Amino acid sequence: MSHPHDSRRAQARCPICRRPAVAAHAPFCSATCRDRDLLAWLEGRYVLPGPPAADAADRDA
Ligand SMILES: [Zn+2]
């Protein structure tokens, strides 16, 4: 028997703490790391850096 995909599929690791990932929480090792990643993603979304609106108005006038 041969499983061509097996050799390509390396042990996935948690991007947060680098421990071996668990299928139930893939690609993370635990719900804790999954939540941490989600929170970081949400914070990045909510923070919207940009130039001050007053600057654009000043240039227009
Ligand atoms: Zn982890």
mmCIF file of all heavy atoms in Angstrom, residues 33-61:
data_model
loop_
_atom_site.group_PDB
_atom_site.id
_atom_site.type_symbol
_atom_site.label_atom_id
_atom_site.label_comp_id
_atom_site.label_asym_id
_atom_site.label_seq_id
_atom_site.Cartn_x
_atom_site.Cartn_y
_atom_site.Cartn_z
ATOM 1 N N CYS A 33 -4.499 28.607 22.400
ATOM 2 C CA CYS A 33 -3.726 29.231 21.325
ATOM 3 C C CYS A 33 -4.652 29.697 20.206
ATOM 4 O O CYS A 33 -4.414 30.722 19.589
ATOM 5 C CB CYS A 33 -2.687 28.248 20.803
ATOM 6 S SG CYS A 33 -1.255 28.115 21.896
ATOM 7 N N ARG A 34 -5.714 28.956 19.962
ATOM 8 C CA ARG A 34 -6.660 29.362 18.921
ATOM 9 C C ARG A 34 -7.308 30.691 19.294
ATOM 10 O O ARG A 34 -7.476 31.578 18.456
ATOM 11 C CB ARG A 34 -7.736 28.285 18.753
ATOM 12 C CG ARG A 34 -8.610 28.512 17.550
ATOM 13 C CD ARG A 34 -9.579 27.393 17.363
ATOM 14 N NE ARG A 34 -10.438 27.233 18.529
ATOM 15 C CZ ARG A 34 -11.324 26.269 18.673
ATOM 16 N NH1 ARG A 34 -11.458 25.368 17.736
ATOM 17 N NH2 ARG A 34 -12.053 26.188 19.745
ATOM 18 N N ASP A 35 -7.659 30.838 20.555
ATOM 19 C CA ASP A 35 -8.268 32.085 21.007
ATOM 20 C C ASP A 35 -7.272 33.241 20.931
ATOM 21 O O ASP A 35 -7.631 34.356 20.570
ATOM 22 C CB ASP A 35 -8.753 31.934 22.455
ATOM 23 C CG ASP A 35 -10.003 31.072 22.520
ATOM 24 O OD1 ASP A 35 -10.593 30.779 21.456
ATOM 25 O OD2 ASP A 35 -10.383 30.682 23.628
ATOM 26 N N ARG A 36 -6.036 32.948 21.276
ATOM 27 C CA ARG A 36 -5.013 33.997 21.219
ATOM 28 C C ARG A 36 -4.848 34.508 19.793
ATOM 29 O O ARG A 36 -4.727 35.706 19.552
ATOM 30 C CB ARG A 36 -3.678 33.456 21.735
ATOM 31 C CG ARG A 36 -3.609 33.405 23.245
ATOM 32 C CD ARG A 36 -2.291 32.843 23.713
ATOM 33 N NE ARG A 36 -1.146 33.622 23.216
ATOM 34 C CZ ARG A 36 0.123 33.334 23.476
ATOM 35 N NH1 ARG A 36 0.414 32.270 24.193
ATOM 36 N NH2 ARG A 36 1.092 34.066 23.013
ATOM 37 N N ASP A 37 -4.837 33.580 18.844
ATOM 38 C CA ASP A 37 -4.679 33.976 17.451
ATOM 39 C C ASP A 37 -5.887 34.765 16.979
ATOM 40 O O ASP A 37 -5.771 35.763 16.279
ATOM 41 C CB ASP A 37 -4.490 32.726 16.600
ATOM 42 C CG ASP A 37 -4.185 33.095 15.141
ATOM 43 O OD1 ASP A 37 -3.040 33.486 14.874
ATOM 44 O OD2 ASP A 37 -5.088 32.995 14.307
ATOM 45 N N LEU A 38 -7.078 34.324 17.399
ATOM 46 C CA LEU A 38 -8.302 35.010 16.998
ATOM 47 C C LEU A 38 -8.330 36.428 17.553
ATOM 48 O O LEU A 38 -8.674 37.375 16.861
ATOM 49 C CB LEU A 38 -9.515 34.213 17.512
ATOM 50 C CG LEU A 38 -10.870 34.828 17.159
ATOM 51 C CD1 LEU A 38 -11.067 34.887 15.649
ATOM 52 C CD2 LEU A 38 -11.995 34.031 17.801
ATOM 53 N N LEU A 39 -7.934 36.573 18.821
ATOM 54 C CA LEU A 39 -7.921 37.891 19.441
ATOM 55 C C LEU A 39 -6.936 38.811 18.727
ATOM 56 O O LEU A 39 -7.225 39.977 18.477
ATOM 57 C CB LEU A 39 -7.542 37.765 20.923
ATOM 58 C CG LEU A 39 -8.666 37.222 21.807
ATOM 59 C CD1 LEU A 39 -8.139 36.929 23.208
ATOM 60 C CD2 LEU A 39 -9.817 38.217 21.886
ATOM 61 N N ALA A 40 -5.780 38.283 18.393
ATOM 62 C CA ALA A 40 -4.776 39.090 17.707
ATOM 63 C C ALA A 40 -5.308 39.544 16.361
ATOM 64 O O ALA A 40 -5.094 40.680 15.933
ATOM 65 C CB ALA A 40 -3.494 38.284 17.535
ATOM 66 N N TRP A 41 -6.024 38.646 15.694
ATOM 67 C CA TRP A 41 -6.592 38.970 14.383
ATOM 68 C C TRP A 41 -7.662 40.047 14.502
ATOM 69 O O TRP A 41 -7.716 40.997 13.722
ATOM 70 C CB TRP A 41 -7.168 37.690 13.786
ATOM 71 C CG TRP A 41 -7.719 37.878 12.408
ATOM 72 C CD1 TRP A 41 -7.006 37.917 11.245
ATOM 73 C CD2 TRP A 41 -9.099 38.042 12.043
ATOM 74 N NE1 TRP A 41 -7.872 38.094 10.184
ATOM 75 C CE2 TRP A 41 -9.152 38.181 10.648
ATOM 76 C CE3 TRP A 41 -10.283 38.087 12.778
ATOM 77 C CZ2 TRP A 41 -10.345 38.357 9.963
ATOM 78 C CZ3 TRP A 41 -11.473 38.268 12.103
ATOM 79 C CH2 TRP A 41 -11.502 38.402 10.704
ATOM 80 N N LEU A 42 -8.498 39.907 15.529
ATOM 81 C CA LEU A 42 -9.567 40.886 15.721
ATOM 82 C C LEU A 42 -8.992 42.257 16.063
ATOM 83 O O LEU A 42 -9.453 43.277 15.555
ATOM 84 C CB LEU A 42 -10.491 40.419 16.848
ATOM 85 C CG LEU A 42 -11.395 39.242 16.462
ATOM 86 C CD1 LEU A 42 -12.169 38.759 17.684
ATOM 87 C CD2 LEU A 42 -12.368 39.634 15.358
ATOM 88 N N GLU A 43 -7.959 42.269 16.913
ATOM 89 C CA GLU A 43 -7.341 43.543 17.286
ATOM 90 C C GLU A 43 -6.752 44.220 16.050
ATOM 91 O O GLU A 43 -6.849 45.427 15.884
ATOM 92 C CB GLU A 43 -6.264 43.297 18.338
ATOM 93 C CG GLU A 43 -6.860 43.002 19.704
ATOM 94 C CD GLU A 43 -5.783 42.638 20.713
ATOM 95 O OE1 GLU A 43 -4.594 42.735 20.362
ATOM 96 O OE2 GLU A 43 -6.145 42.255 21.830
ATOM 97 N N GLY A 44 -6.165 43.434 15.189
ATOM 98 C CA GLY A 44 -5.583 43.986 13.975
ATOM 99 C C GLY A 44 -6.648 44.556 13.061
ATOM 100 O O GLY A 44 -6.426 45.507 12.329
ATOM 101 N N ARG A 45 -7.832 43.953 13.117
ATOM 102 C CA ARG A 45 -8.928 44.426 12.267
ATOM 103 C C ARG A 45 -9.525 45.710 12.786
ATOM 104 O O ARG A 45 -9.879 46.601 12.016
ATOM 105 C CB ARG A 45 -10.034 43.362 12.251
ATOM 106 C CG ARG A 45 -10.156 42.676 10.914
ATOM 107 C CD ARG A 45 -11.387 41.807 10.902
ATOM 108 N NE ARG A 45 -12.497 42.556 10.335
ATOM 109 C CZ ARG A 45 -13.228 42.114 9.309
ATOM 110 N NH1 ARG A 45 -12.995 40.943 8.810
ATOM 111 N NH2 ARG A 45 -14.204 42.819 8.822
ATOM 112 N N TYR A 46 -9.646 45.785 14.118
ATOM 113 C CA TYR A 46 -10.319 46.945 14.691
ATOM 114 C C TYR A 46 -9.445 48.193 14.635
ATOM 115 O O TYR A 46 -9.943 49.301 14.529
ATOM 116 C CB TYR A 46 -10.722 46.647 16.136
ATOM 117 C CG TYR A 46 -11.865 45.678 16.220
ATOM 118 C CD1 TYR A 46 -11.896 44.674 17.177
ATOM 119 C CD2 TYR A 46 -12.938 45.783 15.336
ATOM 120 C CE1 TYR A 46 -12.957 43.786 17.242
ATOM 121 C CE2 TYR A 46 -13.985 44.893 15.394
ATOM 122 C CZ TYR A 46 -14.005 43.897 16.351
ATOM 123 O OH TYR A 46 -15.039 43.029 16.423
ATOM 124 N N VAL A 47 -8.136 47.986 14.711
ATOM 125 C CA VAL A 47 -7.232 49.128 14.652
ATOM 126 C C VAL A 47 -7.039 49.532 13.194
ATOM 127 O O VAL A 47 -6.502 48.785 12.398
ATOM 128 C CB VAL A 47 -5.876 48.782 15.290
ATOM 129 C CG1 VAL A 47 -4.925 49.969 15.154
ATOM 130 C CG2 VAL A 47 -6.064 48.421 16.760
ATOM 131 N N LEU A 48 -7.514 50.702 12.842
ATOM 132 C CA LEU A 48 -7.423 51.146 11.459
ATOM 133 C C LEU A 48 -6.548 52.389 11.371
ATOM 134 O O LEU A 48 -7.036 53.520 11.460
ATOM 135 C CB LEU A 48 -8.822 51.453 10.924
ATOM 136 C CG LEU A 48 -9.771 50.249 10.914
ATOM 137 C CD1 LEU A 48 -11.172 50.716 10.527
ATOM 138 C CD2 LEU A 48 -9.302 49.184 9.943
ATOM 139 N N PRO A 49 -5.249 52.194 11.220
ATOM 140 C CA PRO A 49 -4.347 53.340 11.107
ATOM 141 C C PRO A 49 -4.547 54.069 9.792
ATOM 142 O O PRO A 49 -4.786 53.463 8.759
ATOM 143 C CB PRO A 49 -2.964 52.703 11.188
ATOM 144 C CG PRO A 49 -3.154 51.308 10.678
ATOM 145 C CD PRO A 49 -4.569 50.917 11.089
ATOM 146 N N GLY A 50 -4.494 55.360 9.852
ATOM 147 C CA GLY A 50 -4.673 56.131 8.618
ATOM 148 C C GLY A 50 -4.348 57.594 8.873
ATOM 149 O O GLY A 50 -4.195 58.014 10.015
ATOM 150 N N PRO A 51 -4.232 58.372 7.838
ATOM 151 C CA PRO A 51 -3.931 59.792 7.982
ATOM 152 C C PRO A 51 -5.127 60.527 8.583
ATOM 153 O O PRO A 51 -6.265 60.138 8.361
ATOM 154 C CB PRO A 51 -3.674 60.247 6.537
ATOM 155 C CG PRO A 51 -4.448 59.281 5.691
ATOM 156 C CD PRO A 51 -4.401 57.972 6.437
ATOM 157 N N PRO A 52 -4.849 61.595 9.323
ATOM 158 C CA PRO A 52 -5.940 62.392 9.914
ATOM 159 C C PRO A 52 -6.849 62.962 8.822
ATOM 160 O O PRO A 52 -6.389 63.389 7.770
ATOM 161 C CB PRO A 52 -5.202 63.518 10.654
ATOM 162 C CG PRO A 52 -3.789 63.032 10.811
ATOM 163 C CD PRO A 52 -3.537 62.089 9.655
ATOM 164 N N ALA A 53 -8.149 62.961 9.109
ATOM 165 C CA ALA A 53 -9.112 63.462 8.126
ATOM 166 C C ALA A 53 -8.898 64.957 7.874
ATOM 167 O O ALA A 53 -9.134 65.450 6.776
ATOM 168 C CB ALA A 53 -10.522 63.209 8.630
ATOM 169 N N ALA A 54 -8.420 65.669 8.896
ATOM 170 C CA ALA A 54 -8.230 67.116 8.779
ATOM 171 C C ALA A 54 -7.167 67.426 7.718
ATOM 172 O O ALA A 54 -7.236 68.442 7.038
ATOM 173 C CB ALA A 54 -7.815 67.689 10.122
ATOM 174 N N ASP A 55 -6.200 66.511 7.583
ATOM 175 C CA ASP A 55 -5.128 66.753 6.616
ATOM 176 C C ASP A 55 -5.678 66.759 5.185
ATOM 177 O O ASP A 55 -5.320 67.598 4.372
ATOM 178 C CB ASP A 55 -4.071 65.650 6.783
ATOM 179 C CG ASP A 55 -2.834 65.955 5.929
ATOM 180 O OD1 ASP A 55 -2.317 67.069 6.031
ATOM 181 O OD2 ASP A 55 -2.444 65.069 5.155
ATOM 182 N N ALA A 56 -6.585 65.838 4.908
ATOM 183 C CA ALA A 56 -7.167 65.753 3.562
ATOM 184 C C ALA A 56 -8.008 66.999 3.276
ATOM 185 O O ALA A 56 -7.976 67.541 2.183
ATOM 186 C CB ALA A 56 -8.014 64.495 3.473
ATOM 187 N N ALA A 57 -8.747 67.464 4.291
ATOM 188 C CA ALA A 57 -9.595 68.630 4.115
ATOM 189 C C ALA A 57 -8.735 69.880 3.854
ATOM 190 O O ALA A 57 -9.095 70.743 3.058
ATOM 191 C CB ALA A 57 -10.467 68.830 5.343
ATOM 192 N N ASP A 58 -7.583 69.907 4.542
ATOM 193 C CA ASP A 58 -6.716 71.070 4.406
ATOM 194 C C ASP A 58 -6.134 71.151 2.993
ATOM 195 O O ASP A 58 -6.030 72.229 2.394
ATOM 196 C CB ASP A 58 -5.597 70.968 5.452
ATOM 197 C CG ASP A 58 -4.844 72.293 5.576
ATOM 198 O OD1 ASP A 58 -5.517 73.329 5.706
ATOM 199 O OD2 ASP A 58 -3.607 72.265 5.508
ATOM 200 N N ARG A 59 -5.788 69.986 2.439
ATOM 201 C CA ARG A 59 -5.207 69.971 1.108
ATOM 202 C C ARG A 59 -6.249 70.320 0.032
ATOM 203 O O ARG A 59 -5.922 70.862 -1.019
ATOM 204 C CB ARG A 59 -4.634 68.574 0.818
ATOM 205 C CG ARG A 59 -3.382 68.313 1.659
ATOM 206 C CD ARG A 59 -2.996 66.839 1.602
ATOM 207 N NE ARG A 59 -2.466 66.463 0.296
ATOM 208 C CZ ARG A 59 -2.185 65.204 -0.068
ATOM 209 N NH1 ARG A 59 -2.437 64.225 0.785
ATOM 210 N NH2 ARG A 59 -1.685 64.923 -1.218
ATOM 211 N N ASP A 60 -7.510 69.987 0.333
ATOM 212 C CA ASP A 60 -8.564 70.222 -0.638
ATOM 213 C C ASP A 60 -8.844 71.718 -0.771
ATOM 214 O O ASP A 60 -9.192 72.208 -1.842
ATOM 215 C CB ASP A 60 -9.835 69.478 -0.175
ATOM 216 C CG ASP A 60 -10.825 69.363 -1.327
ATOM 217 O OD1 ASP A 60 -10.408 68.917 -2.410
ATOM 218 O OD2 ASP A 60 -11.995 69.703 -1.134
ATOM 219 N N ALA A 61 -8.643 72.485 0.310
ATOM 220 C CA ALA A 61 -8.960 73.899 0.320
ATOM 221 C C ALA A 61 -7.842 74.821 -0.154
ATOM 222 O O ALA A 61 -7.184 74.627 -1.078
ATOM 223 C CB ALA A 61 -9.255 74.326 1.769
#
